[in-house]
Amino acid sequence: MNHNNLLATLQENRLMQTEEQVTNFENALAEIAENPDENKLSAYHIILDDQCQQPEVMFSLIHFLESFDMEKQITAFIHVVPQLMITAPEWTRIIHNRILNDVSACGVYCHGLELINRKNPHHFIYDLLEESVINQINYHIEAPRGILVGELAEPHSLTRLPS
């Protein structure tokens, strides 16, 4: 099957309300993963949907996205954030936090947000994301090694990674 048909299959089955939809989604994603197309990164992101009934299967899409070159994946994410926040605000938050938890990804993210803010000033979503990244970069500089961000057990608590 060609990439456009596989993308359509992912889109049609993204809610995963039946076992057949789960199987169709998994098979299409596996086929795409055999021959990924970085030009479709934005389209891959748009598959994410908070109404999905099988988040653990949807997480396989997150892992697939993270298999791409970091800069290309983050750039694609930045470009689809406004649209993604409508259908998948929770998945958007998850990707955002995963980027913040990686120092090098955080730098790429900050640079990408700076560039888009220069091209599209006054877009509050990008302003907020950039502010969040800058705060995280400052935190990485000042904080002890191994602290996770955004995946807090409870508000104002921190989870430490083993050193």
Side-chain angles (χ1 to χ4, degrees):
M1 206 180 307
N2 73 36
H3 262 311
N4 290 334
N5 291 341
L6 292 169
L7 270 169
T9 300
L10 289 177
Q11 189 67 30
E12 292 165 5
N13 294 282
R14 74 188 182 285
L15 299 182
M16 296 183 237
Q17 296 171 323
T18 67
E19 192 62 40
E20 181 182 7
Q21 288 178 331
V22 171
T23 301
N24 291 342
F25 187 92
E26 290 177 317
N27 290 341
L29 185 58
E31 197 169 331
I32 288 172
E34 289 176 14
N35 189 21
D37 182 354
E38 66 185 29
N39 296 318
K40 304 252 187 233
L41 263 167
S42 293
Y44 298 149
H45 281 86
I46 297 301
I47 300 300
L48 294 164
D49 194 306
D50 284 357
Q51 300 303 310
C52 172
Q53 300 297 306
Q54 301 294 325
E56 65 281 355
V57 177
M58 188 62 83
F59 231 105
S60 63
L61 178 58
I62 298 288
H63 295 294
F64 170 69
L65 293 170
E66 291 174 342
S67 72
F68 284 87
D69 172 77
M70 180 190 333
E71 187 171 342
K72 291 177 182 175
Q73 187 273 322
I74 290 172
T75 299
F77 174 67
I78 289 169
H79 282 89
V80 299
V81 161
Q83 183 180 356
L84 199 56
M85 288 182 72
I86 295 167
T87 58
E90 185 61 24
W91 288 110
T92 304
R93 185 191 62 77
I94 288 169
I95 293 172
H96 175 78
N97 287 336
R98 289 172 72 88
I99 292 169
L100 293 182
N101 281 323
D102 182 298
V103 175
S104 58
C106 214
V108 169
Y109 195 32
C110 187
H111 179 71
L113 289 167
E114 287 172 358
L115 290 176
I116 204 153
N117 276 332
R118 276 190 237 144
K119 292 178 188 174
N120 188 12
H122 311 297
H123 196 299
F124 77 96
I125 291 172
Y126 293 125
D127 289 338
L128 291 173
L129 292 175
E130 186 175 6
E131 183 178 324
S132 171
V133 173
I134 290 168
N135 288 337
Q136 184 58 24
I137 289 171
N138 290 335
Y139 183 77
H140 277 301
I141 292 169
E142 298 169 7
R145 190 167 170 254
I147 294 183
L148 282 176
V149 176
E151 299 181 6
L152 304 176
E154 57 188 66
H156 309 295
S157 72
L158 297 174
T159 306
R160 292 197 180 272
L161 293 173
S163 297

